């Protein structure tokens, strides 16, 4: 089975592709469609609260024929956050869970979960701690609530889950660790919470397959014109699986996006 996950940073920007960046995003989306993954998870869709427009739905249906599309748009703020899953496999059930997160986080369309016969597939867009770490306390509460939620799924059947988790777990997961210990996404608290998630019974598939390989990143800051050229990035997008199915992983990869900065898609293949 083939899974792909991507923080697209606006479905509409990709579909309209009226800018140079939009063209690059559209090219990546077409590349993913050509690979025909069994399940394609998207974060930061930035859809309106009403979901896909008619044009967006038509373009996606043309690009991904025979896929079922599930959308969780933000009700808290239209055009913000949001997740989506496209699947060639028919799920037994689809849920858009609330996890008891602080503030409006549960209203921001951050999780979708599909249940299949032998496993769950879920995607998440983890809240960012924000500039000056203004949301760090709330982020910590989110991490605890999310870990409890994923663990509740794992108690029923194995879980394959992905997304922009907004944390670089170890120093190997970003280019400049020494200068980022107080930056959102690399604070001690966020890293400890991710360790706790793994300790709850889950495997970081990319790192499991590449335990000592540096320079594997999934995000490069747009604010720096040379971040992608110099591979000055962070690995903050993940595929995690229940420990008991980790031996089913056959391949992990970061999908090449050329000169496009921001997030790159990640790929997971498993043999069931």
């Amino acid at each position: 089975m083939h899974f792909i996950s991507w923080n697209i940073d606006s479905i509409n920007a990709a579909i309209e592709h009226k800018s140079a960046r939009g063209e690059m995003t559209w090219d990546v989306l077409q590349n993913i469609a050509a690979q025909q993954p069994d399940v394609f998870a998207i974060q930061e869709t930035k859809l309106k609260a009403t979901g896909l427009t008619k044009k967006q739905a038509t373009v996606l249906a043309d690009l991904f024929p025979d896929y079922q599309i599930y959308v969780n748009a933000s009700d808290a703020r239209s055009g913000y956050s949001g997740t989506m899953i496209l699947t060639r496999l028919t799920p037994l059930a689809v849920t858009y869970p609330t996890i008891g997160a602080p503030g409006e986080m549960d209203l921001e369309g951050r999780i979708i979960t599909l249940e299949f016969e032998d496993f769950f597939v879920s995607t998440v867009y983890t809240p960012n701690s924000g500039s000056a770490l203004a949301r760090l306390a709330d982020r910590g509460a989110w991490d605890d609530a999310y870990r409890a939620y994923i663990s509740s799924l794992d108690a029923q059947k194995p879980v394959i889950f992905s997304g922009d988790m907004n944390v670089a777990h170890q120093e190997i997961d970003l280019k400049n660790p020494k200068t980022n210990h107080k930056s959102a996404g690399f604070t001690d608290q966020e890293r400890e919470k991710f360790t706790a998630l793994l300790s709850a019974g889950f495997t970081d598939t990319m790192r499991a397959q590449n335990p000592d390989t540096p320079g594997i990143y999934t995000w490069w800051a747009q604010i720096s014109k040379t971040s992608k050229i110099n591979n000055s990035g962070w690995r903050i997008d993940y595929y995690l699986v229940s420990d008991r199915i980790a031996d089913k992983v056959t391949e992990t990869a970061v999908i090449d996006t050329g000169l496009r900065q921001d997030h790159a898609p990640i790929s997971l293949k498993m043999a069931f």
Side-chain angles (χ1 to χ4, degrees):
M1 292 188 67
H2 188 194
F3 304 88
I4 291 178
S5 182
W6 185 25
N7 178 322
I8 197 170
D9 189 28
S10 175
I11 286 284
N12 194 61
I15 288 173
E16 294 293 337
H17 50 277
K18 292 180 177 178
S19 65
R21 175 176 163 76
E23 287 284 1
M24 288 190 285
T25 306
W26 176 244
D27 287 345
V28 175
L29 191 60
Q30 289 181 303
N31 173 28
I32 291 171
Q35 296 188 48
Q36 297 186 312
D38 294 292
V39 182
F40 175 29
I42 303 176
Q43 306 88 46
E44 201 168 7
T45 56
K46 294 185 177 178
L47 295 177
K48 295 180 179 179
T50 50
L52 291 166
T53 65
K54 184 176 180 180
K55 178 179 180 179
Q56 291 165 350
T58 299
V59 171
L60 287 174
D62 288 344
L63 199 57
F64 295 91
D66 304 320
Y67 279 75
Q68 298 170 49
I69 302 177
Y70 301 99
V71 174
N72 194 1
S74 172
D75 291 326
R77 193 190 328 170
S78 190
Y80 174 75
S81 185
T83 50
M84 179 186 301
I85 293 182
L86 299 87
T87 175
R88 299 172 68 187
L89 313 172
T90 299
L92 301 176
V94 181
T95 53
Y96 308 90
T98 55
I99 60 174
E104 295 184 329
M105 289 177 176
D106 269 340
L107 304 176
E108 293 171 348
R110 292 186 175 276
I111 307 173
I112 303 176
T113 298
L114 276 54
E115 180 180 0
F116 297 99
E117 184 175 356
D118 297 320
F119 50 80
F120 291 99
V121 175
S122 188
T123 196
V124 62
Y125 180 33
T126 302
N128 192 299
S129 294
S131 59
L133 302 177
R135 290 180 98 185
L136 183 61
D138 284 352
R139 163 62 188 270
W142 165 278
D143 285 335
D144 290 340
Y146 182 72
R147 184 174 66 255
Y149 167 70
I150 286 293
S151 294
S152 73
L153 296 181
D154 184 56
Q156 301 171 58
K157 60 181 73 173
V159 191
I160 301 161
F161 58 111
S162 68
D164 173 4
M165 298 188 182
N166 266 314
V167 59
H169 183 215
Q170 301 170 326
E171 290 197 351
I172 195 175
D173 294 317
L174 71 167
K175 182 67 174 286
N176 298 304
K178 289 181 171 57
T179 57
N180 279 294
H181 280 287
K182 295 184 179 180
S183 299
F186 197 60
T187 63
D188 289 346
Q189 172 186 294
E190 291 163 314
R191 296 170 64 199
E192 288 166 1
K193 296 291 187 183
F194 194 83
T195 297
L197 178 60
L198 297 180
S199 297
F202 303 103
T203 297
D204 173 356
T205 61
M206 180 70 72
R207 189 52 68 201
Q209 287 222 319
N210 304 275
D212 303 309
T213 306
I216 301 175
Y217 306 131
T218 65
W219 177 82
W220 300 263
Q222 293 183 66
I223 197 171
S224 169
K225 292 181 179 180
T226 61
S227 65
K228 192 70 179 287
I229 295 169
N230 296 334
N231 196 27
S232 182
W234 296 48
R235 190 174 72 96
I236 58 176
D237 302 87
Y238 298 85
Y239 260 108
L240 273 60
V241 302
S242 296
D243 285 346
R244 62 189 181 279
I245 58 169
D247 62 347
K248 305 292 187 184
V249 174
T250 59
E251 181 183 308
T252 60
V254 179
I255 295 175
D256 184 18
T257 57
L259 293 176
R260 184 186 184 276
Q261 295 177 198
D262 204 54
H263 294 265
I266 54 175
S267 171
L268 173 72
K269 293 183 179 178
M270 301 185 72
F272 284 105

